[in-house]
Every structure is written in structure tokens, then in C-alpha cells.
Amino acid sequence: MIEDDRELCRAVGASLSAEGVEADFCHDGDEAYEYLLQDIYDVCCLDRMLPHTDGLTLLRKARAAGVQTPVLMLTALSRIGDRVDGLDAGADDYLAKPFDMRELLARLRALARRPAPFSSHTTVRTGTLTLDLTQLTLQGPTGIVGLSRKECDLLETLMRHPGQLMGRSVLLGRVWGMDAPVEEGSLDSYIHFVRRRLKTVGAKETVSTVRGAGYRLEASSC
């Protein structure tokens, strides 16, 4: 939920928790962009009036970056023109404030039920690397290597956000699922496997460790 009204966030958070829903809260448009880029959320509630970057600008920027998370726009601006602007910017639904909590929860459930949009893109390219999501292969300057599904999922997440720090919880959620009973050590093991794959194909990129925070894919200094 991206909303600068902290009282409203607490109220919505309590209702979501009662429904068994886990939620992250962000109160600033600039910071919210980093959350959305992770592309791990089932649905996003977005306020239109935010500090630093307004909701419309934030949403357009996120959609341009390929973020496909369903977005419910919440705002006190409820005229037809305002709703059209929100939907044209990339919102999937629009709810005017003040709203009934039951309607908010129903709209969120409806958005979460929607099937993920089909993507015709079966390859991801970054720097010297080409990742084939269908064939589960990684190609680099000196060759091609087969991958396991988890290696492919991990590489896809890193390659879609080159140079960006990806937190451990984000990577665990993307590869194993948010509620999967997996030990954090498994992530370290798969990072080791991925580094070996990169070396095998002669990649100019490497996965660097940010101790205590996560990993990022970046150009090798060698």
C-alpha cells in the first residue's frame, strides 16, 4: 500500500491482517518506485497524492519499466476526469475516498483473482547474457549452459534489474514463493550455482554480495 496517510495505513493494515493478508506500506512516491520494481506483489493500493512523486507519475513510470502488478488507485479526487486519468495511467481499478473497508477488501480480492497477463517475451537480455525462459538456458560470450528452474528464476530476477540491489526476502519470494518453508541458506547455495553458470558462459557480469542485504548483478571489474 502506497499511502502517505499513516492512520489510514494502520486501519487498512489491521483489516488486511484479519483477512490473512500480508502487506508492506510505503509513504513516499520515490521510495514506492523501488518497491514496485521488485514486481513481487499480488496487488498494490496506490494513493494519487504523494510526497515527491505523485501517484499518476509513479504509475506511468512503473508501467513503462514493465511492472505488471494490478493497481487499485485510492484518492479523494473522484470526478470522472480524475478516474479516467488514473485508468489511462495504468490503474486497474479506482476507488474514491472515503470508502467502506468491505468494498476495498472486495476490490482487492477481485484484482488478486485476475490471471497474470500473458507475456510473449521468452528471453531476457542483459549485457553479454541471454536467458531463455522456455528452454532454461543461459548464453554468454563463450557458450551456452542448461539451468534448473530455480537457477533460471533467480537469474531472471537479477537480470531484469541489473545493477539494482535485490533483497534476500525479495529473491526468496520470487524463486521459492512468499510462504514457502525454505531456509535462507538455500539462496546462498543457488547464488553459488548461478555464479558458476556465469563463469561457464564467459559472462562479463557477476553477482556481487551486499552483506546482510542481498545481491546485485553487475559488470565484472575483471
Side-chain angles (χ1 to χ4, degrees):
M1 184 170 186
I2 305 167
E3 166 65 64
D4 61 338
D5 185 336
R6 295 173 185 265
E7 240 180 76
L8 178 58
C9 286
R10 283 192 289 269
V12 172
S15 295
L16 291 175
S17 181
E19 293 276 321
V21 176
E22 294 183 7
D24 291 330
F25 293 89
C26 181
H27 314 293
D28 175 278
D30 288 347
E31 183 184 6
Y33 182 62
E34 301 302 322
Y35 277 76
L36 286 173
L37 277 183
Q38 296 174 19
D39 211 14
I40 61 170
Y41 297 103
D42 297 308
V43 66
C44 169
C45 286
L46 173 63
D47 185 30
R48 181 161 172 170
M49 306 299 289
L50 293 167
H52 302 123
T53 301
D54 68 89
L56 287 183
T57 301
L58 170 63
L59 184 53
R60 291 191 186 103
K61 186 177 177 183
R63 292 300 191 220
V67 175
Q68 297 182 331
T69 304
V71 171
L72 171 62
M73 184 160 279
L74 303 174
T75 179
L77 301 174
S78 58
R79 296 176 301 178
I80 293 297
D82 297 321
R83 297 186 184 193
V84 170
D85 288 343
L87 294 170
D88 283 347
D92 298 272
D93 199 0
Y94 199 102
L95 184 60
K97 299 176 182 177
F99 52 81
D100 188 293
M101 196 67 70
R102 293 170 298 177
E103 182 179 6
L104 171 65
L105 295 175
R107 288 176 181 265
L108 291 177
R109 287 192 295 268
L111 285 177
R113 285 195 300 267
R114 290 185 182 180
F118 173 77
S119 174
S120 60
H121 300 294
T122 60
T123 59
V124 180
R125 293 182 175 84
T126 299
T128 64
L129 301 170
T130 300
L131 179 67
D132 191 313
L133 305 178
T134 302
Q135 298 299 319
L136 301 183
T137 59
L138 177 69
Q139 184 173 356
T142 63
I144 187 169
V145 66
L147 305 168
S148 70
R149 168 50 63 188
K150 283 185 169 54
E151 288 173 335
C152 186
D153 290 344
L154 183 54
L155 265 170
E156 179 187 2
T157 303
L158 292 167
M159 287 176 63
R160 287 193 186 278
H161 307 282
Q164 179 183 335
L165 173 64
M166 303 301 292
R168 295 181 64 87
S169 61
V170 171
L171 293 172
L172 285 167
R174 289 299 299 270
V175 178
W176 283 271
M178 295 300 292
D179 299 318
V182 58
E183 295 182 2
E184 286 204 16
S186 296
L187 174 58
D188 301 319
S189 297
Y190 273 90
I191 289 291
H192 174 69
F193 298 153
V194 163
R195 285 171 173 156
R196 288 199 307 185
R197 304 301 188 206
L198 292 173
K199 186 176 181 181
T200 297
V201 301
K204 303 299 183 184
E205 294 77 21
T206 187
V207 178
S208 63
T209 303
V210 180
R211 193 169 300 279
Y215 300 93
R216 67 163 57 94
L217 182 73
E218 55 188 7
S220 173
S221 57
C222 299

